Amino acid sequence: MPLSELNSVFLDGLQFCSKVYTLFEHIREQENGISRLRLRDSNIEKKLIEELLPICTYVQSKYRAGRYISVKWINGSQKFDAEIQQKGGYVKQGYFPETAYLEVTCVMHPNDYLSRELLDKEGFSFGLDGIKRLKSREIVSEPVSHSNFDFVLSFSKLILKQIDKKISISYPANTTLIIQCSLNTLYTPDEWEMLIADVRKNISAHNFQEIFIFDAVTNYNSSLYGIKP
């Protein structure tokens, strides 16, 4: 299924998710499909992993009785990635706007791409802080230990930096910022809550209707709401 079937057309949110997952499985089942998804070499895999799947996570988290969401993903350079139309009892009562927008961004350790490349070539990788590429182009990975939750606080800084970058851009009213995290290690639920608490404590004032943060592996997710400047 090409991206054109998803581009610039309103689809019921659950139908949108079904089509995106169909595309994901179609690629995954092809020869070298898993490698293509890991390395994101083409525009199709990049858009799928970095825009379409995060929108699905958001829609499935928010879609409910009384809040029915239709999605129009736009494959372009506009100041948002998707427009949504909402209807239902909660919308009629003013809890959610009829029209809103979604902007998707990704936060990851600077060595995340090296880890994915090493995993694809060798089948394993140690922690992200211990990975580097040599002058020979070989990627080496060494175990690194952490203490006192320093890995949580360091990742919080990456999220906050990306939020500040997005705050500097003018978005339409009622825009939700979706942040897909590729965490720097596996987190327990308590460590995820610690991460979100630190982001909430240090976040700058912003006009986003909502900042929806989730982990692509565990599917932990949390929402932060508007702090007007």
Side-chain angles (χ1 to χ4, degrees):
M1 183 185 71
L3 291 177
S4 58
E5 291 190 20
L6 295 164
N7 185 31
S8 298
V9 56
F10 270 112
L11 297 168
D12 173 78
L14 300 184
Q15 183 184 10
F16 175 86
C17 293
S18 178
K19 285 182 174 290
V20 171
Y21 297 150
T22 297
L23 175 60
F24 175 87
E25 293 299 338
H26 174 71
I27 294 173
R28 185 178 181 276
E29 291 170 0
Q30 292 182 15
E31 185 177 1
N32 297 325
I34 293 176
S35 178
R36 288 171 55 190
L37 291 168
R38 280 184 183 142
L39 301 180
R40 309 170 197 178
D41 286 336
S42 80
N43 187 59
I44 293 177
E45 289 84 35
K46 188 173 179 63
K47 291 288 185 179
L48 175 63
I49 299 296
E50 298 181 7
E51 290 184 21
L52 295 171
L53 286 173
I55 291 172
C56 290
T57 300
Y58 176 82
V59 168
Q60 288 188 267
S61 174
K62 304 300 180 179
Y63 197 111
R64 57 178 296 188
R67 186 184 182 185
Y68 306 105
I69 304 171
S70 294
V71 179
K72 181 172 71 173
W73 172 70
I74 303 173
N75 186 11
S77 57
Q78 68 290 329
K79 290 186 177 180
F80 54 88
D81 293 310
E83 179 183 345
I84 61 174
Q85 297 289 334
Q86 304 183 104
K87 61 182 181 180
Y90 287 110
V91 179
K92 288 181 179 179
Q93 294 176 45
Y95 287 100
F96 307 104
E98 291 184 1
T99 300
Y101 302 90
L102 305 177
E103 169 68 2
V104 184
T105 191
C106 299
V107 174
M108 61 193 69
H109 189 284
N111 290 339
D112 185 81
Y113 76 103
L114 291 175
S115 177
R116 288 186 279 111
E117 184 178 336
L118 184 61
L119 180 63
D120 193 63
K121 290 180 178 179
E122 303 293 340
F124 76 95
S125 171
F126 291 117
L128 294 167
D129 287 328
I131 299 175
K132 62 182 177 180
R133 191 190 297 276
L134 304 178
K135 291 183 178 180
S136 64
R137 306 302 296 167
E138 178 188 2
I139 301 172
V140 295
S141 175
E142 299 176 351
V144 174
S145 62
H146 294 278
S147 61
N148 299 323
F149 304 107
D150 57 342
F151 61 95
V152 175
L153 299 180
S154 66
F155 199 84
S156 173
K157 291 178 182 178
L158 294 177
I159 295 176
L160 290 166
K161 181 179 179 180
Q162 188 67 4
I163 291 174
D164 285 342
K165 180 180 177 180
K166 292 295 183 178
I167 288 173
S168 67
I169 301 171
S170 177
Y171 289 100
N174 298 322
T175 294
T176 289
L177 178 63
I178 301 171
I179 301 177
Q180 174 175 246
C181 297
S182 181
L183 295 174
N184 46 0
T185 188
L186 289 174
Y187 281 39
T188 65
D190 287 347
E191 289 164 348
W192 174 260
E193 291 302 324
M194 183 184 301
L195 173 69
I196 296 303
D198 193 68
V199 172
R200 182 181 287 112
K201 176 183 176 182
N202 294 290
I203 194 171
S204 301
H206 64 86
N207 283 316
F208 289 113
Q209 180 186 20
E210 177 184 0
I211 297 179
F212 179 80
I213 307 173
F214 77 97
D215 170 40
V217 175
T218 64
N219 212 34
Y220 297 146
N221 66 80
S222 302
S223 290
L224 308 180
Y225 294 94
I227 304 173
K228 301 300 181 181

